[in-house]
């Protein structure tokens, strides 16, 4: 396949290369610093175990697309092999699914901490936390083999040009020699279940959290809680909003340029912002980071 990426003059290509390289390095640094502070024994609690795994996930999630994109920007051919395309497809979507599951589990953890603080230590034990982490990782990587096998069996007609920077099901369906509405329906139904299941869980958790926060008598306490919940919900809305636009409605008709921008938001920008939103605003995390440095 030929991945067009971002066609523009050479000067524009160099600018994009520098921009995406800086974003990639900042993402690795931000998420890597969160992993490093796990050496602090005070942060060996369920919330920080989840944050550490989430940061590790974000490093691999952005690494499934950006390095190959950077190579394509500098490359004259911009090609990717058939197996390489579907391998990228598998890891990109599996890691994205794992992120959906982790966001749901982290929202549930905040619900327990705020709404059921006295029961929190007995429910969110270390063992239960490890089980949740394993379910997220294993579940995320078991979801997409079936859709990928279905799409990989389609006959593809030349010139096999993908007007995107990543192997995505939409452009791949467009390259198929035959119309396969049943396969498209299966894939989009599958995507909808994966997106809406965790999203409704997050929505339920934060609805209960906000209801509990409104009962806090102190205005300062309410402001602090709303600040935390608001920033978390902002990231969730950004991530899930773009996912829904891309993958829930079949043949949504988004132009190629819009698809690239939407994909950049949830695959490149959210891994960059998540360390700031979830961790580096946290006092304990910042103190541990200073100690490590």
């Amino acid at each position: 396949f030929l991945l067009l990426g971002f066609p523009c003059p050479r000067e524009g290509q160099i600018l994009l290369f520098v921009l995406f390289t800086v974003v990639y390095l900042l993402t690795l640094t931000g998420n890597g610093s969160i992993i490093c502070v796990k050496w602090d024994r005070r942060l060996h609690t369920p919330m920080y175990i989840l944050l550490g795994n989430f940061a590790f996930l974000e490093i691999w999630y952005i690494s499934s697309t950006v390095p190959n994109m950077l190579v394509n920007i500098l490359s004259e051919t911009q090609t990717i092999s058939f197996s390489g395309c579907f391998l990228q497809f598998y890891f990109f979507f599996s890691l994205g699914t794992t992120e959906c599951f982790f966001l749901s589990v982290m929202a549930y953890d905040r619900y327990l901490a705020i709404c059921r603080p006295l029961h929190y230590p007995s429910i969110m034990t270390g063992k239960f936390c490890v089980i949740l982490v394993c379910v997220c990782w294993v579940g995320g990587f078991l979801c997409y083999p079936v859709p990928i096998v279905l799409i990989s069996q389609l006959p593809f007609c030349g010139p096999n040009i993908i007007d995107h920077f990543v192997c995505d099901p939409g452009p791949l369906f467009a390259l198929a020699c035959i119309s396969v509405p049943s396969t498209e329906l299966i894939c989009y139904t599958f995507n909808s279940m994966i997106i809406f299941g965790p999203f409704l869980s997050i929505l339920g958790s934060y609805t209960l959290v906000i209801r509990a926060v409104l009962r806090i008598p102190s205005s300062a306490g309410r402001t602090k809680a709303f600040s935390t919940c608001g920033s978390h919900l902002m990231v969730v809305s950004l991530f899930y909003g773009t996912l829904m636009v891309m993958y829930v409605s079949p043949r949504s008709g988004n132009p190629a340029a819009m698809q690239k921008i939407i994909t950049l938001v949830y695959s490149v920008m959210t891994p960059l912002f998540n360390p700031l939103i979830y961790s580096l605003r946290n006092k304990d995390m910042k103190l541990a980071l200073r100690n490590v440095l």
Side-chain angles (χ1 to χ4, degrees):
F1 295 106
L2 181 69
L3 284 173
L4 284 185
F6 302 93
C8 60
R10 193 62 184 169
E11 294 78 10
Q13 296 275 356
I14 294 172
L15 180 64
L16 286 174
F17 179 83
V18 172
L19 176 64
F20 289 132
T21 300
V22 170
V23 169
Y24 183 57
L25 292 176
L26 287 174
T27 304
L28 294 185
T29 304
N31 288 287
S33 64
I34 294 170
I35 296 171
C36 287
V37 300
K38 290 302 294 175
W39 293 107
D40 192 323
R41 291 184 177 274
R42 292 171 298 176
L43 300 186
H44 289 188
T45 59
M47 185 180 80
Y48 293 108
I49 290 172
L50 292 172
L51 285 172
N53 276 271
F54 191 68
F56 182 70
L57 165 67
E58 293 290 49
I59 288 174
W60 287 106
Y61 187 43
I62 194 171
S63 296
S64 67
T65 55
V66 171
N68 186 68
M69 181 171 64
L70 293 175
V71 170
N72 275 351
I73 288 174
L74 296 181
S75 172
E76 296 294 333
T77 57
Q78 297 180 320
T79 57
I80 186 171
S81 67
F82 182 86
S83 57
C85 179
F86 280 94
L87 197 63
Q88 184 190 57
F89 185 171
Y90 173 69
F91 279 103
F92 180 58
F93 278 82
S94 295
L95 290 164
T97 304
T98 305
E99 177 155 348
C100 290
F101 293 162
F102 263 109
L103 287 171
S104 178
V105 169
M106 290 164 72
Y108 174 67
D109 176 72
R110 290 301 83 207
Y111 155 72
L112 289 177
I114 294 173
C115 299
R116 303 184 66 185
L118 299 180
H119 296 93
Y120 181 81
S122 60
I123 297 174
M124 190 59 76
T125 61
K127 183 180 178 181
F128 184 56
C129 182
V130 170
I131 290 172
L132 289 175
V133 167
C134 292
V135 168
C136 289
W137 282 107
V138 175
F141 278 84
L142 288 180
C143 284
Y144 268 93
V146 172
I148 287 174
V149 168
L150 289 174
I151 297 174
S152 66
Q153 299 304 309
L154 298 176
F156 294 101
C157 301
N160 289 359
I161 296 174
I162 298 176
D163 192 5
H164 212 309
F165 62 88
V166 64
C167 286
D168 197 71
L172 288 171
F173 278 128
L175 292 179
C177 300
I178 56 174
S179 179
V180 281
S182 58
T183 303
E184 286 190 46
L185 183 61
I186 289 170
C187 290
Y188 285 112
T189 303
F190 199 73
N191 289 337
S192 299
M193 292 170 61
I194 289 174
I195 292 170
F196 278 110
F199 179 69
L200 292 175
S201 169
I202 292 168
L203 209 58
S205 295
Y206 278 116
T207 300
L208 295 172
V209 166
I210 291 171
R211 192 175 70 174
V213 167
L214 290 174
R215 295 174 182 170
I216 297 175
S218 164
S219 59
R222 283 198 302 271
T223 303
K224 183 179 179 182
F226 271 128
S227 173
T228 303
C229 293
S231 58
H232 290 189
L233 284 171
M234 182 178 65
V235 171
V236 169
S237 301
L238 191 66
F239 182 72
Y240 277 98
T242 50
L243 282 182
M244 289 173 189
V245 171
M246 280 292 292
Y247 301 115
V248 172
S249 56
R251 297 194 177 278
S252 56
N254 292 318
M258 183 61 68
Q259 289 186 13
K260 294 175 191 177
I261 293 170
I262 293 170
T263 306
L264 276 176
V265 170
Y266 72 79
S267 66
V268 177
M269 300 314 295
T270 51
L272 174 65
F273 292 143
N274 281 344
L276 301 174
I277 298 296
Y278 280 105
S279 301
L280 298 182
R281 293 172 72 247
N282 182 295
K283 290 181 180 179
D284 292 335
M285 190 69 79
K286 287 193 286 190
L287 178 61
L289 181 59
R290 277 197 290 266
N291 291 338
V292 168
L293 293 175

